[in-house]
Every structure is written in C-alpha cells, then in structure tokens.
Amino acid sequence: MDKTIGIFGGGQLGRMMAQAALPLNIQCTFLEETTDCPSAVLGPVFPAGTEQGLQDFIASAEVFSLEFENTPLADVDVLIREKLLYPPRQALATAQNRLLEKSLFDQLSIPVAPYRAVDSLDSLQQAVAELGLPIVLKTATGGYDGKGQFVLRSESQIQQAWAELGPAGSLVAESFVSFTREVSIIAVRDQRGDVRTWPLAENHHHHGILSHSIVPAPDSTDLQPVAQDYITRLLEHLNYVGVLTLELFVTADGLCANEMAPRVHNSGHWSIEAAVCSQFENHIRAVAGLPLGSTAVIRPTVMVNIIGRHPKSEDVLALNGAHLHLYNKTERAGRKLGHITLMPDDSSELTGLCRQLAKILPEPLALSEAMDIQAI
Ligand code: AMP
C-alpha cells in the first residue's frame, strides 16, 4: 500500500471511503466502538473510547479523516498534536454546534432562518416573542436525523418543549421555514485549493430519515450556481480539505441553509455509479494529496435508502439499472442498512424503475413520491 488514512468512525461511510481507496493503493484504518462495524472488512478497527485504542489508531496512519460527525474533539486534539487531519478541526467543531454553524453562515452571508440561542425558559419565551410561531427548537449539539427537535406551533407548547429539550443543554430556536423542497450540495476541495461540486440532490425524508435523493435535482439550473457559491465560501473560509455537504431549503425567496456536514453524505451515495468520480474517491484523493476527479453526472439517478429491513437482493438486482450496496448491518427499525442507486440506460425509464423498486422494498418509505416525478 502506498499510504494509510486513519478514519474516525467505522460505519458505512468509512466502508465506502475504504472501498474507493483500495484501487488507489490506499489502506484505511478506523477508530470505532464496535469492532464488527461496517468498515471492519476493509481494514483494522481500533477501539474508540480507550486511550490505548486512540494511540494505536494514531500510530496506524500518516494522515487522518473522519466519517463520524460527532467525533470527540478531545480525540481530535490528541491527534493533531502529531498528525494531519482533513477536514480541519474548525470545520468539525463548527458542524457539531448549530449556533457556531449558524453564526458562520451569517458571517459568510449565507442565508439562514432567523434564530436565537436558548438556554432558559425565559429565553425560549423571548425567542417565541421575537421570531413568532411556528419555530423549530433544536439541541445545539448532538442531534441527527431530526432527533433532538421540537416544532412549536402554539404558545401553549412552550413549557412542554422546554421540559423535553431543556435538559439537553444549549438550544437554538429557529423560525419554521416554509420550504417547497430540500436539497443538498456536495463539494470537495483539495490541498491546492481546487474545488469541484456535484449537482444538487433533491432529498426526501421519511420520519426524519433520508429516504431517497433525486439527482440532478429537478428544476435546479438556477439554484446550482447559488448553492455552489455558498459552499465554496465555506470551503475557502475553513481552508477545507475533503468533502463538505451543505443542506438547504428551497423557498419562494431562494435557498436557505439548514446545516452542513463536514463529511461525505448520504445524499451523495449515487455518485459511486452515476458520477465520473464519486464523493468517496474524491474525498480520499483530497485527503491523500492527489488531484481531484470530475464530478460530472453520467446519467440522472435516484438513490434509495434501505431502512429497517432488507429487501431480497435477487429482487433488487433483477431490476435493470439497479445497483445494490449493503452495509453488513443487522435489521433494526429506522436503521440505514444499505442503498440502491437506480440509473437505467434510458433515463426516461427512471420513474418506472422507482415504481418497480417501491413494490419490492419491505418498507415503502416515501418512495411513492418518487413515482410522481415527471421531470427527471
Ligand atoms: P436537521 O436535523 O436540522 O437537519 O432537521 C431535520 C429536518 O427537520 C429537516 O430535514 C427539515 O425537514 C426539518 N427542519 C429542520 N429545521 C427546520 C426549519 N427551521 N423549518 C422547517 N423545517 C425544518
């Protein structure tokens, strides 16, 4: 192997990073609590949460990255005394705290919903008075997939919202955005500052979890340059190296940022087959100091998550144009077990293929919505 990259986390994102690294003769190692994690078949896993595990992990590679957004900053601080981490610590620290994140968006003139920091019942009442209702109350740290959130629609819910989220620590109250759809932009920046961006994905959620992404997002020609501009501001400000994702709401007034993820993203899994160079390969290239590959789309595509229960692999693979990725995880309600990328030779068949897939998935998810997509 020419190089070893150590990755904080050993889930499916690490697994797909390591799969992309292998053809480049790059080995990955992982720091993860459970040693039978999805990445384990691709490289050594060191036990997270132990001092020895962290030391061995640091010794195992020359350069480091992450796939787990809540990687403890204390671990990162130990690492960066000795070795390089891409993306930089500041990007991780910012993404881990919604208040820091929103103030960075403000600083870079990236539109966000009006928000207030909340740390007491009084300040929640004040936020409601200033922002008006409805508002979304979120934990500043630790939330994911819509967890740690409360949508406040009437003043009578203030006490309940505070009782539920108050104990979680620092909170942020933000105006409810009446969006028409949710999109994400994924970009990569290399060590020389070269930036490449994939096309916007239109994301559909089910019970707060990404169900499927449509790429390119329909009717996004005008949105793409704006989203590209926003994410480039972030990449440059943070002197970022690697893949960064920005989740955005589409509103009548244009794009409004929701949050960023300092890592490869579920809404970019389609890029393994449907882009010239995937988010995983370009991330590895950036971290390894190699030049970036093209982010062009080969064919329009829909990526569908497998959540909770597995479909029969033979049923999925019998669909012409379906690519199956399983993460070697056991079934559990709400758990991401794999994904399917649909990219038929003839893109006009994409809607029909979504319809066929919806029939064989054990959990229908929100895929029925995809059946109505006309403009792919
Ligand atoms: P988040 O954890 O911030 O990504 O939020 C999870 C989901 O909640 C988003 O994908 C949106 O569907 C919804 N959401 C979050 N913030 C807002 C908001 N300010 N207004 C309306 N919906 C929101």
Side-chain angles (χ1 to χ4, degrees):
M1 289 288 179
D2 294 342
K3 206 175 197 111
T4 304
I5 299 178
I7 297 174
F8 283 99
Q12 63 265 20
L13 302 180
R15 178 180 170 104
M16 290 184 273
M17 279 183 202
Q19 283 171 332
L22 275 180
L24 306 180
N25 228 18
I26 295 172
Q27 171 74 55
C28 291
T29 64
F30 307 92
L31 186 73
E32 172 63 70
E33 276 172 17
T34 47
T35 46
D36 66 340
C37 56
S39 303
V41 286
L42 286 142
V45 181
F46 299 93
T50 69
E51 207 168 309
Q52 191 60 50
L54 179 61
Q55 287 307 334
D56 293 344
F57 171 65
I58 293 172
S60 73
E62 296 99 60
V63 59
F64 289 78
S65 189
L66 56 101
E67 61 109 63
F68 178 49
E69 196 168 324
N70 287 319
T71 295
L73 292 175
D75 288 1
V76 166
D77 289 336
V78 176
L79 171 89
I80 59 180
R81 275 190 240 133
E82 286 179 52
K83 303 265 171 91
L84 286 169
L85 174 73
Y86 300 121
R89 183 193 189 280
Q90 191 199 346
L92 181 65
T94 307
Q96 285 182 359
N97 186 315
R98 289 185 193 272
L99 285 165
L100 293 180
E101 191 175 68
K102 286 179 192 299
S103 81
L104 177 62
F105 292 158
D106 277 343
Q107 189 190 333
L108 299 177
S109 304
I110 298 170
V112 281
Y115 66 94
R116 297 285 184 278
V118 166
D119 58 7
S120 65
L121 184 56
D122 272 357
S123 58
L124 177 56
Q125 275 158 342
Q126 180 84 13
V128 170
E130 289 175 14
L131 299 173
L133 289 169
I135 62 166
V136 186
L137 188 64
K138 303 178 178 179
T139 54
T141 58
Y144 65 97
D145 283 346
K147 294 189 175 65
Q149 295 197 11
F150 193 110
V151 181
L152 262 150
R153 297 187 187 278
S154 87
E155 289 193 17
S156 64
Q157 293 174 295
I158 293 178
Q159 293 280 357
Q160 189 196 346
W162 176 250
E164 271 185 35
L165 294 188
S170 158
L171 304 176
V172 53
E174 58 184 64
S175 292
F176 190 90
V177 178
S178 59
F179 56 85
T180 49
R181 40 194 190 130
E182 293 185 76
V183 294
S184 54
I185 184 112
I186 304 181
V188 60
R189 184 170 181 271
D190 72 11
Q191 293 180 21
R192 294 165 310 158
D194 185 18
V195 171
R196 308 275 174 102
T197 315
W198 286 269
L200 279 163
E202 180 180 298
N203 300 324
H204 295 257
H205 299 87
H206 188 66
H207 296 316
I209 302 170
L210 184 70
S211 125
H212 59 276
S213 297
I214 303 160
V215 184
D219 302 321
S220 59
T221 319
D222 295 345
L223 302 176
Q224 181 74 27
V226 180
Q228 250 170 248
D229 175 32
Y230 292 162
I231 200 163
T232 305
R233 285 183 214 173
L234 287 164
L235 289 167
E236 287 175 356
H237 175 84
L238 292 163
N239 196 18
Y240 199 97
V241 171
V243 164
L244 175 71
T245 306
L246 181 62
E247 295 180 24
L248 300 144
F249 299 122
V250 182
T251 75
D253 302 325
L255 291 173
C256 169
N258 178 24
E259 60 180 359
M260 66 178 198
R263 53 169 172 78
V264 291
H265 195 259
N266 195 171
S267 65
H269 291 359
W270 60 272
S271 62
I272 296 174
E273 287 91 8
V276 174
C277 195
S278 77
Q279 61 166 350
F280 300 102
E281 180 174 340
N282 262 339
H283 183 73
I284 292 291
R285 288 191 193 203
V287 172
L290 298 167
L292 300 177
S294 162
T295 49
V297 171
I298 297 168
R299 280 200 299 280
T301 176
V302 175
M303 187 285 313
V304 181
N305 271 337
I306 299 171
I307 299 172
R309 287 172 56 205
H310 290 107
K312 283 199 188 123
S313 294
E314 50 270 44
D315 290 350
V316 175
L317 296 174
L319 301 176
N320 201 9
H323 297 270
L324 176 63
H325 294 258
L326 298 175
Y327 307 151
N328 195 25
K329 287 161 85 171
T330 51
E331 296 186 340
R332 196 202 307 145
R335 194 176 203 201
K336 290 175 184 169
L337 305 173
H339 73 266
I340 297 157
T341 300
L342 300 174
M343 52 175 300
D345 297 343
D346 178 352
S347 300
S348 69
E349 289 168 11
L350 197 44
T351 306
L353 201 53
C354 286
R355 199 170 289 146
Q356 287 175 28
L357 179 62
K359 281 191 203 138
I360 60 171
L361 281 179
E363 307 236 345
L365 309 174
L367 194 58
S368 50
E369 290 168 36
M371 297 178 196
D372 301 325
I373 298 156
Q374 301 300 328
I376 294 172

